[in-house]
Amino acid sequence: MGSFMYQLYIGNKNYSSWSLRPWVLMRELQIGFVEHLVPFANGSSYEQFRRFSPTGKVPCLVDEDTVVWDSLGITEYLGERHPQIWPLERSARAWARCATAEMHSGFNALRQYCTMNCGLRIRLASYPEDLARDVRRLAELWHEGLSRFEGPYLAGESFTAVDAFFAPVALRVQTYGIELSTQAADYAKRLRELPSMRDWYNAALAETFREPGHEDEARAAGTWLEDLRAR
């Protein structure tokens, strides 16, 4: 790799759950990178993001002449060079990959009703059954990992990719006051208290940019109880 450092392109920290995943993974595991924060445009960001990402989406990782897009693609790419990305033990690694893939492709109701917005505290307007089902599955998955691999992280004693993929959920739990079991709530808090997560959260609150589409999603979610973001 020489002296070249990874270049990671991300969106606004207040809004971009997908950007958070590789960012917190690399920061927590001390994998060096240069951050390029490109704000969401009003309306569509496609053309703006296409300058560095073939999908017109974030996140995107550039490693010299190699462009790697999608949070899961980035994670697997990094795992080829950095063995600490995934648990070393075979069964823990298999479980972590499955749980990561489930988060990447599932939990659609949680995404729909609980949009990422770090700086707000929102009382949900409704709690439909598909959202309740996602929250039950979330708790079940976290309980399984924490119990089977004995914590404090989902696949054992070390923070790995599976924890990074659930990091945005820990922030959503805080934003929407989602009720969880004690074990699951403690795990969400543990994620929020990581140094890298605190850095992301504080930077999110410091952002003054507001993108109308993301703001409208947050208004549709329910009643705003607090707005902790910088004016």
Side-chain angles (χ1 to χ4, degrees):
M1 192 164 56
S3 60
F4 186 86
M5 189 171 287
Y6 296 117
Q7 312 291 308
L8 181 65
Y9 290 83
I10 64 172
N12 296 81
K13 291 178 178 174
N14 187 54
Y15 301 132
S16 188
S17 58
W18 292 112
S19 296
L20 171 56
R21 292 178 168 106
W23 189 96
V24 73
L25 180 63
M26 296 174 78
R27 277 288 301 270
E28 203 59 33
L29 298 183
Q30 299 181 355
I31 299 170
F33 66 94
V34 176
E35 172 190 311
H36 301 273
L37 194 159
V38 183
F40 289 104
N42 290 341
S44 173
S45 301
Y46 178 78
E47 292 300 332
Q48 182 169 302
F49 290 168
R50 274 278 294 178
R51 296 171 189 167
F52 53 83
S53 171
T55 62
K57 297 179 180 180
V58 286
C60 186
L61 184 79
V62 177
D63 180 15
E64 296 187 304
D65 60 350
T66 301
V67 177
V68 189
W69 64 94
D70 189 277
S71 57
L72 188 55
I74 293 169
T75 298
E76 291 290 7
Y77 180 79
L78 292 171
E80 295 178 0
R81 288 185 173 176
H82 307 279
Q84 69 270 38
I85 293 287
W86 296 108
L88 298 179
E89 196 273 322
R90 182 182 60 83
S91 62
R93 188 167 63 252
W95 185 91
R97 276 200 158 102
C98 290
T100 297
E102 183 178 352
M103 180 70 253
H104 185 264
S105 64
F107 295 97
N108 293 319
L110 182 63
R111 302 184 205 279
Q112 177 184 348
Y113 297 109
C114 302
T115 186
M116 172 93 154
N117 201 310
C118 299
L120 298 179
R121 300 295 178 268
I122 299 173
R123 182 172 61 243
L124 286 168
S126 63
Y127 197 74
E129 175 54 30
D130 53 348
L131 175 58
R133 186 166 55 245
D134 272 4
V135 172
R136 288 195 299 269
R137 175 55 186 155
L138 177 74
E140 179 183 56
L141 195 60
W142 286 4
H143 289 166
E144 180 185 1
L146 293 167
S147 300
R148 180 175 172 186
F149 304 109
E150 301 182 347
Y153 297 104
L154 286 181
E157 63 182 11
S158 300
F159 181 94
T160 62
V162 67
D163 302 289
F165 268 71
F166 284 100
V169 179
L171 293 173
R172 284 181 163 106
V173 166
Q174 177 173 256
T175 294
Y176 296 96
I178 297 172
E179 293 187 7
L180 297 170
S181 68
T182 299
Q183 185 184 37
D186 286 348
Y187 170 68
K189 182 180 179 183
R190 192 174 308 128
L191 288 182
R192 291 195 299 270
E193 290 178 346
L194 291 169
S196 56
M197 285 284 281
R198 290 200 302 267
D199 287 348
W200 178 281
Y201 177 73
N202 289 334
L205 264 57
E207 291 178 354
T208 56
F209 173 81
R210 305 287 185 266
E211 193 281 310
H214 287 90
E215 295 296 290
D216 289 346
E217 289 177 359
R219 289 190 182 91
T223 303
W224 290 16
L225 305 176
E226 277 188 286
D227 187 347
L228 304 173
R229 300 172 295 178
R231 299 293 180 183

